[in-house]
Amino acid sequence: MAARPPQNDTSEPNSIEFGIAALADDVDSADIDYPADASEIVRALDDVAVPIDAAGNTVAISDALAAAPKDRFDSRRDLLETLHPVFEEFRAKASKSLMGRLRSLVPF
């Protein structure tokens, strides 16, 4: 997923990636041999913090994989498809928190 940033700063990118869109490049550049289990993926990705929303909330890949319904992945696609609903759940929880609501009121 992606969201457009405010238009007042032209040096910013055209969009902010989060969830599996933000993770995809890290997965592509990591040395992961599939099938791979969660611990191999965490090591390969150096437990990267993945942005989960446009407000700047992140979740460590280790936490996302711990919340996933399985811990072994046959392919890159399998990994990303499994993590998509996990990131959505984290995003929903973050937006319902007090800090999440306050962040949504303040522009970038």
Side-chain angles (χ1 to χ4, degrees), residues 5-103:
Q7 300 302 314
N8 57 354
D9 185 359
T10 59
S11 66
E12 294 292 320
N14 288 336
S15 65
I16 300 169
E17 294 180 330
F18 48 91
I20 62 170
L23 181 62
D25 287 340
D26 291 327
V27 170
D28 290 343
S29 63
D31 185 22
I32 302 172
D33 293 321
Y34 297 98
D37 64 28
S39 62
E40 293 170 316
I41 294 167
V42 169
R43 273 193 308 276
L45 295 174
D46 198 25
D47 203 13
V48 66
V50 181
I52 56 169
D53 60 22
N57 293 304
T58 62
V59 63
I61 190 67
S62 58
D63 293 335
L65 288 167
K70 61 183 183 177
D71 66 352
R72 188 154 181 83
F73 306 92
D74 294 326
S75 65
R76 171 191 182 274
R77 182 180 181 144
D78 182 28
L79 172 65
L80 296 177
E81 286 179 354
T82 300
L83 288 177
H84 177 71
V86 173
F87 288 136
E88 287 299 309
E89 182 67 27
F90 276 103
R91 183 193 57 75
K93 286 179 185 174
S95 68
K96 291 178 184 175
S97 72
L98 177 60
M99 283 304 293
R101 285 185 261 154
L102 289 174
R103 280 185 178 166

